[in-house]
Amino acid sequence: MTTAPKQPITDVASPDTPVRKNLIDLGDIESLQILDTDGVADEAFVPRLDDEALLRVHRAMVLTRTLDIRMLNMQRQGEMGTFAPGIGQEATQIGQVHPLRSRDWFVPSYRSFGAQLWRGWTIEGLMLLWDGFFEGFEVPAGVNDLPFSIVIGSQVPVATGVAMGIRQRREKHVVVTNFGDGAISQGAVNEAFNFAAVYKSPIVFVVENNGYAISMPAEKQAATKELARRGPGFGIPAIRVDGNDVLAMIVATTEAVDRARAGEGPTLIEAVTYRMGLHTTADDPKVYRSDDEVDTWKPRDPITRFEKYLIGKGLLDENRIQRTGEECEQEVLNARERFRERAVANPREVFEYIYDSLPPALQQQKREYLARLDRKGVR
Ligand SMILES: Cc1ncc(C[n+]2csc(CCOP(=O)(O)OP(=O)(O)O)c2C)c(N)n1
Ligand SMILES: [Mg+2]
């Protein structure tokens, strides 16, 4: 599929090994890396983006991380519900939606802040959503995305159905859907692969191999280390991409989206990345992985790596990096104010919206609950 010659990418199991020296023999599976850990690009493969577009990608990654960190603080202070941080996966996130047009479809899993922000979801909307307000699920005007799914892999057959519909209606839209190294074990995901391939559906499957499904390491999840290998068995061309290299993600996704739009069917992109932080705010990864392991991934941080590249091109310097960080922080804080204005819970609503008429047992619970609120003086 890609016209680029094969590029080695680092073996996931040995992240401390210098990137270009650690070849993996993938046989018929192509792999792609453009930026090395020093931020030096293989210019032959760099996507054609002007300076402004490159800086926009950088800012989007910084904003994503800023939001993640701020929301973690809010959660620890009791102002946010449980959520799934994506620290370390920013390049995978921005790269996978970069080539999409507004009327294309993005059908995400729950760890997709970066991609959703790029698609136009608002920061306060995402905050509302993760704080349990249904208003946060409203899809932004102008895009065709679906809200994320927390039921592992369940969004993948839905996304495939959307893509099959697009083809049946002879539309030119494309679907990108993402899911994890754990989700790829789900039967429904594999059924979706088969449907997509047989019906040549315009869909790009992005499996974000971040090393873990909660505490389950990827090497215990699947006997095949390279998840991209799942593609060819279904008749789906696949590529293994360095998911911490935003340029490689953009190139791979652009080619896959172009193929889909041209009627050539699905592609599977394995984005090899690492979840630097918690699975969710309810998780403590220290119980199942060492700090040393996490440290080995720090030199591959997708943001600092891209910054090194942009500094080398003369587009960024330390001052500008600092300014971008401060601007993103301010943007998130402003959104937090708007979130606070809207995040006013009405505890009397908890029995609404699910049943048209409540079953007797729930009617009883509702009466008891409302009486309790009355007793406590909760309005
Ligand atoms: C059907 C289903 N089973 C179990 C869970 C509990 N669960 C939540 S996240 C998760 C792990 C998913 O790992 P992966 O697919 O690698 O995605 P990641 O969280 O790493 O992004 C599990 C088992 C769930 N949400 N849905
Ligand atoms: Mg995972």
Side-chain angles (χ1 to χ4, degrees):
M1 42 159 292
T2 175
T3 49
K6 287 178 187 168
Q7 283 285 103
I9 70 169
T10 314
D11 189 328
V12 196
S14 319
D16 50 336
T17 316
V19 177
R20 277 166 196 278
K21 298 212 174 101
N22 195 0
L23 308 191
I24 35 177
D25 179 11
L26 292 180
D28 53 349
I29 303 283
E30 286 178 301
S31 60
L32 183 67
Q33 179 194 65
I34 296 174
L35 279 180
D36 68 14
T37 45
D38 293 325
V40 177
D42 201 329
E43 286 295 337
F45 304 100
V46 170
R48 270 186 234 105
L49 297 177
D50 62 24
D51 294 353
E52 200 187 314
L54 289 169
L55 289 172
R56 203 160 53 235
V57 167
H58 170 252
R59 194 179 196 287
M61 292 203 288
V62 173
L63 183 64
T64 304
R65 186 166 298 183
T66 309
L67 172 60
D68 253 320
I69 293 169
R70 176 57 56 187
M71 269 186 45
L72 192 55
N73 289 338
M74 290 164 70
Q75 197 275 341
R76 295 305 192 227
Q77 291 164 6
E79 202 184 355
M80 180 54 55
T82 301
F83 79 100
I87 294 174
Q89 296 178 223
E90 295 87 355
T92 294
Q93 283 288 303
I94 305 300
Q96 70 184 272
V97 284
H98 191 274
L100 288 185
R101 301 174 184 163
S102 55
R103 283 297 168 196
D104 289 330
W105 295 72
F106 178 54
V107 185
S109 84
Y110 46 80
R111 201 183 302 284
S112 299
F113 275 169
Q116 287 189 292
L117 290 174
W118 185 269
R119 294 288 292 161
W121 291 70
T122 62
I123 297 173
E124 64 268 30
L126 293 174
M127 286 179 174
L128 279 167
L129 197 160
W130 282 106
D131 204 34
F133 290 87
F134 69 87
E135 290 88 341
F137 275 93
E138 199 180 320
V139 179
V143 298
N144 264 338
D145 300 9
L146 296 186
F148 65 75
S149 169
I150 287 190
V151 182
I152 302 302
S154 62
Q155 73 279 15
V156 185
V158 173
T160 302
V162 171
M164 289 167 67
I166 288 171
R167 180 152 170 109
Q168 206 159 38
R169 293 176 181 190
R170 298 177 191 279
E171 293 172 351
K172 281 288 168 201
H173 308 312
V174 171
V175 183
V176 168
T177 187
N178 70 3
F179 50 94
D181 45 285
I184 206 168
S185 297
Q186 291 281 40
V189 172
N190 291 272
E191 289 166 31
F193 287 168
N194 195 48
F195 266 100
V198 170
Y199 289 94
K200 272 190 170 288
S201 309
I203 185 165
V204 181
F205 297 107
V206 180
V207 55
E208 297 193 18
N209 186 351
N210 65 2
Y212 287 90
I214 313 184
S215 54
M216 173 71 78
E219 62 268 19
K220 285 192 185 164
Q221 179 69 239
T224 350
K225 190 167 70 182
E226 297 88 21
L227 300 179
R229 289 194 191 284
R230 301 285 176 91
F234 287 97
I236 299 178
I239 184 166
R240 195 166 202 250
V241 180
D242 183 335
N244 284 12
D245 172 357
V246 72
L247 297 181
M249 279 303 296
I250 289 173
V251 166
T253 316
T254 303
E255 287 183 7
V257 164
D258 289 349
R259 285 189 65 248
R261 216 181 297 284
E264 292 169 30
T267 302
L268 173 64
I269 296 176
E270 178 189 3
V272 181
T273 179
Y274 190 76
R275 196 194 76 217
M276 296 296 288
L278 315 165
H279 168 70
T280 66
T281 50
D283 175 46
D284 175 9
K286 287 186 190 302
V287 174
Y288 54 82
R289 70 183 188 190
S290 69
D291 289 343
D292 285 351
E293 179 187 311
V294 179
D295 286 346
T296 57
W297 279 84
K298 286 187 179 156
R300 296 208 215 159
D301 184 300
I303 297 182
T304 47
R305 192 162 164 192
F306 193 48
E307 282 171 350
K308 285 181 191 164
Y309 172 68
L310 295 178
I311 290 170
K313 280 179 77 78
L315 291 178
L316 276 187
D317 56 25
E318 287 307 323
N319 281 340
R320 182 134 190 201
I321 290 172
Q322 196 185 336
R323 206 165 63 236
T324 304
E326 287 164 2
E327 285 167 8
C328 289
E329 184 68 28
Q330 198 52 54
E331 195 175 330
V332 171
L333 291 176
N334 292 346
R336 187 179 64 174
E337 289 312 308
R338 293 192 292 275
F339 157 76
R340 283 175 172 167
E341 279 163 23
R342 292 178 65 188
V344 183
N346 177 1
R348 287 173 191 273
E349 274 183 350
V350 295
F351 284 87
E352 311 296 332
Y353 311 125
I354 294 180
Y355 288 96
D356 184 28
S357 59
L358 278 181
L362 287 180
Q363 285 177 23
Q364 173 65 18
Q365 279 185 28
K366 183 178 177 182
R367 272 194 299 277
E368 287 171 16
Y369 170 72
L370 293 179
R372 192 181 164 91
L373 293 183
D374 288 341
R375 274 202 311 280
K376 287 177 166 271
V378 179
R379 289 284 99 226

